[in-house]
């Protein structure tokens, strides 16, 4: 059995008095693509952000490649926060792609991709540029390196963001609705890049409303509802009959995102 | 107006520009420190920072200048009046610039810093490479505005005897009995300087908006 790239065990997360994640267990196998579906407010982003330690869980554990993320159990059932250096080290295995791209507006596409190579990994500028160019070429933007984000379309910006994450050679890529802020005609170019990454064996966790993409690319579909993991299985099983009524209801709201073929 | 008198006015305008520019610069550095103190979690920094801003924004600049001009000799510090003027202008503009900077830093979208977190940048590197450059771009229009305000407010330092544009116009008016002429020329010179600053600011903003091309 292959080791899990991400292992989530009994994770709870509250914002103030509101419990948003109510005991999530999830294993993300290496080299697989897991698609996280669920209605708005069900906790998809929160779960993904916990996997990146952008949110701290209230209880439970998350392991990345077998290493604890953020907290270490002390044995007596309690936990301590790991030092910032340890957190950065475990997190360096993870790349994140955001709905709003979050490119740094004062740097070119190439600057965005190479920034961490130089300032974090200590690579020489020339070497970093070569690597950055290669990553941009990989997402089909080899000729756009010297453009600023404001000079690129949404689809191109999101592909730069993917190249930025890829440049650091992560083991796991997390996507939070990577195409939700794009015009419909631009989603394809981003989904294609993701499809290629999945084909190349990258471990990915993708929060998405693109049901068609989830059904065709996902090795595993996870359906979240009200902070609980309602369904977890291969697409054939999750989307096949008999279908859970909550999922059916959800799919019917996404007919135009490729769900039509399933409903 | 004779050429010689016009040259005197120009020289005084140069003093106004120099005085304002130095004050804006020093005020920027102090403003940065006050801003950092104000947003600090440490109350021993935060409270003085907050006090500083409310004090220097709440007392009229003219009163501040007269206070500093009279206070320094009283505590045994002898400085030329021009130094007292620069100190007064700098301390005052620092309070406003601190608030501008705070606004700029707080307007940096969280997501940009989360992206920096995800690529492993330490808080210090994030500050230097991401937060400060973006905050500065966001602050630039307010900074240009502040520079124009200080240019005009620098006329107040004439009360402590610094020969800048307003004081020169006063002196020449008194000796020539032609106040209308000299104050008109002074007003026109202020206008031209402010236009130049505003124009330079717009060009800088345009350049920074598409990146740092050009
Ligand atoms: N920082 C926060 N503070 C307080 N409440 C939050 C915070 N972030 C999320 N929540 C709440 O947690 C719940 C789950 O939010 P989350 O963003 O994870 O949902 P989601 O499944 O990603 O929804 P969507 O499809 O709309 O993106 C929501 O009710 C939201 O209001
Ligand atoms: Mg979300």
């Amino acid at each position: 059995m292959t080791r899990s790239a991400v292992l989530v065990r009994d994770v709870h997360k509250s914002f103030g008095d509101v419990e948003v994640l109510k005991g999530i267990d999830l294993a993300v196998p290496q080299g697989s693509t897991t698609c996280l579906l669920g209605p708005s407010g069900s906790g998809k982003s929160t779960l993904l952000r916990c996997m990146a330690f952008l949110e701290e869980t209230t209880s439970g554990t998350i392991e990345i490649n077998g290493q604890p993320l953020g907290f270490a159990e002390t044995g007596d059932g309690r936990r301590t926060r790991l030092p910032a250096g340890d957190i950065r080290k475990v997190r360096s295995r993870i790349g994140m792609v955001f709905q709003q791209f979050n490119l740094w507006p004062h740097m070119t596409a190439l600057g965005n991709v190479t920034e961490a190579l130089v300032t974090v990994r200590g690579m020489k500028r020339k070497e970093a540029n070569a690597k950055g160019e290669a990553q941009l070429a990989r997402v089909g933007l080899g000729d756009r390196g010297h453009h600023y984000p404001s000079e690129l379309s949404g689809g191109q910006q999101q592909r730069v963001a993917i190249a930025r994450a890829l440049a650091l050679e992560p083991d796991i890529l997390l996507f939070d609705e990577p195409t939700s802020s794009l015009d419909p005609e631009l989603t394809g170019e981003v989904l294609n890049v993701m499809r290629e990454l999945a084909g190349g064996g990258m471990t990915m966790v993708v929060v998405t409303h693109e049901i068609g993409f989830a059904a065709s690319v996902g090795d595993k579909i996870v359906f979240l509802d009200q902070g609980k993991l309602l369904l977890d299985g291969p697409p054939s099983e999750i989307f096949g009959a008999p279908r859970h009524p909550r999922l059916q209801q959800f799919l019917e709201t996404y007919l135009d995102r490729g769900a039509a073929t399933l409903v | 107006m004779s050429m010689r008198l016009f040259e005197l006015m120009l020289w005084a305008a140069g003093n106004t520009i120099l005085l304002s520019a130095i004050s804006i610069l020093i005020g920027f550095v102090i403003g940065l420190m006050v801003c950092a103190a104000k947003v600090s979690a440490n109350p021993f920094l935060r409270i003085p920072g907050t006090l500083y801003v409310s004090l220097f924004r709440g007392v009229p600049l003219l009163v501040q200048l007269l206070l500093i001009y009279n206070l320094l000799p009283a505590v045994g510090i002898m400085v030329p009046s021009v130094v007292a003027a620069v100190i007064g202008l700098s301390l005052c503009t620092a309070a406003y610039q601190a608030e501008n900077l705070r606004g700029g830093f707080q307007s940096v979208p969280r997501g940009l810093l989360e992206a920096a977190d995800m690529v492993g940048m330490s808080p210090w590197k994030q500050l230097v490479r991401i937060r400060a450059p973006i905050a500065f771009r966001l602050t630039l229009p307010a900074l240009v505005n502040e520079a124009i305000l200080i240019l005009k407010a620098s006329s107040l330092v004439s009360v402590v005897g610094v020969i800048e544009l307003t004081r020169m116009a006063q002196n020449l008016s008194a000796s020539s009995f032609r106040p209308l002429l000299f104050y008109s020329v002074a007003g026109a010179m202020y206008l031209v300087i402010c236009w130049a600053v505003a124009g330079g600011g717009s060009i800088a903003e345009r350049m920074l908006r598409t990146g740092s091309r050009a």
Side-chain angles (χ1 to χ4, degrees):
Chain A
M1 195 193 139
T2 55
R3 190 175 62 173
S4 294
V6 185
L7 191 59
V8 177
R9 263 182 307 199
D10 196 27
V11 158
H12 291 253
K13 170 69 184 174
S14 301
F15 291 108
D17 292 337
V18 186
E19 190 168 46
V20 172
L21 297 179
K22 302 169 182 165
I24 303 283
D25 289 282
L26 176 65
V28 176
Q30 272 173 0
S32 73
T33 296
T34 299
C35 291
L36 264 170
L37 310 182
S40 183
S42 56
K44 306 179 297 293
S45 296
T46 306
L47 176 56
L48 198 76
R49 291 167 57 82
C50 284
M51 292 180 189
F53 206 64
L54 290 173
E55 300 288 356
E56 298 186 14
T57 56
T58 310
S59 68
T61 59
I62 295 177
E63 285 177 9
I64 304 296
N65 292 336
Q67 305 273 336
L69 176 66
F71 298 97
E73 294 191 58
T74 51
D76 54 352
R78 305 171 69 87
R79 59 182 197 172
T80 54
R81 206 172 191 284
L82 291 167
D86 288 15
I87 293 171
R88 269 208 290 280
K89 196 160 159 230
V90 176
R91 188 147 67 179
S92 72
R93 306 316 319 145
I94 311 170
M96 178 107 171
V97 176
F98 301 86
Q99 180 178 348
Q100 301 298 339
F101 328 136
N102 291 343
L103 293 179
W104 301 306
H106 58 303
M107 296 180 188
T108 60
L110 187 63
N112 269 274
V113 177
T114 55
E115 176 64 22
L117 290 176
V118 176
T119 63
V120 179
R121 301 278 162 99
M123 208 179 257
K124 292 253 180 344
R125 174 48 69 188
K126 226 176 124 186
E127 209 183 324
N129 281 349
K131 183 158 190 184
E133 300 274 14
Q135 295 306 327
L136 284 171
R138 190 169 166 192
V139 298
L141 293 172
D143 55 341
R144 288 289 186 275
H146 296 285
H147 286 67
Y148 285 88
S150 60
E151 302 169 328
L152 297 171
S153 74
Q156 291 172 331
Q157 290 185 55
Q158 192 59 296
R159 285 187 283 150
V160 172
I162 294 173
R164 172 172 70 183
L166 287 175
L168 295 165
E169 299 177 0
D171 298 325
I172 303 151
L173 271 185
L174 307 177
F175 295 82
D176 192 0
E177 300 198 34
T179 58
S180 291
S181 47
L182 298 179
D183 291 337
E185 71 268 26
L186 299 178
T187 59
E189 61 190 61
V190 172
L191 293 178
N192 281 339
V193 167
M194 293 169 63
R195 203 170 272 127
E196 259 171 51
L197 287 172
M202 174 64 80
T203 308
M204 309 203 292
V205 180
V206 185
V207 173
T208 186
H209 291 302
E210 300 288 340
I211 313 294
F213 174 85
S216 62
V217 179
D219 298 301
K220 186 170 153 118
I221 304 294
V222 171
F223 184 69
L224 270 179
D225 194 30
Q226 298 180 15
K228 291 207 178 92
L229 204 152
L230 208 57
L231 304 167
D232 176 355
S236 54
E237 184 188 311
I238 300 292
F239 292 129
R243 202 176 283 149
H244 193 287
R246 287 292 291 152
L247 177 65
Q248 180 65 24
Q249 195 185 357
F250 170 76
L251 289 179
E252 281 165 8
T253 58
Y254 284 100
L255 290 177
D256 56 338
R257 294 290 181 84
T261 54
L262 299 168
V263 177
Chain B
M1 190 192 314
S2 76
M3 199 59 209
R4 204 186 61 80
L5 290 182
F6 188 69
E7 275 172 9
L8 276 176
M9 290 292 282
L10 273 182
W11 173 79
N15 285 353
T16 285
I17 294 172
L18 206 63
L19 197 67
S20 307
I22 292 171
S23 302
I24 284 286
L25 257 159
I26 298 176
F28 182 80
V29 175
I30 301 175
L32 261 181
M33 295 192 283
V34 172
C35 166
K38 246 196 110 169
V39 300
S40 163
N42 182 346
F44 289 100
L45 292 173
R46 195 176 62 240
I47 294 169
T50 309
L51 264 177
Y52 181 96
V53 171
S54 60
L55 204 73
F56 281 90
R57 288 204 309 184
V59 176
L61 177 56
L62 185 57
V63 176
Q64 287 176 34
L65 285 167
L66 289 169
L67 265 174
I68 289 167
Y69 184 65
N70 290 292
L71 188 78
L72 290 178
V75 296
I77 303 172
M78 290 310 193
V79 292
S81 57
V82 64
V83 174
V86 167
I87 293 175
L89 285 174
S90 303
L91 292 178
C92 175
T93 183
Y96 289 91
Q97 294 199 52
E99 284 300 272
N100 290 343
L101 286 165
R102 191 170 63 94
F105 274 99
Q106 283 175 348
S107 306
V108 175
R110 266 225 51 70
L112 300 187
L113 303 177
E114 289 183 347
D117 267 336
M118 288 312 299
V119 297
M121 292 172 85
S122 64
W124 172 249
K125 275 181 189 140
Q126 290 186 28
L127 177 67
V128 174
R129 300 288 302 168
I130 312 286
R131 292 181 67 192
I134 294 173
F136 179 70
R137 281 165 171 74
L138 293 171
T139 314
L140 193 62
L143 180 63
V144 171
N145 214 25
E146 180 64 18
I148 288 172
L149 286 175
I150 284 297
L151 263 166
K152 293 187 295 181
S154 71
S155 64
L156 293 174
V157 308
S158 57
V159 298
V160 296
V162 177
I163 312 289
E164 41 63 72
L165 190 46
T166 301
R167 183 59 177 253
M168 182 61 86
Q170 263 172 351
N171 290 351
L172 296 181
S173 303
S175 56
S176 69
F177 304 106
R178 299 176 67 189
L180 209 56
L181 172 68
F182 286 104
Y183 287 127
S184 302
V185 171
M189 285 180 169
Y190 277 114
L191 201 58
V192 169
I193 299 169
C194 288
W195 276 341
V197 172
S202 320
I203 292 171
E205 270 172 59
R206 244 199 325 278
M207 271 166 52
L208 290 175
R209 196 167 307 140
T210 44
S212 42
R213 195 150 295 182

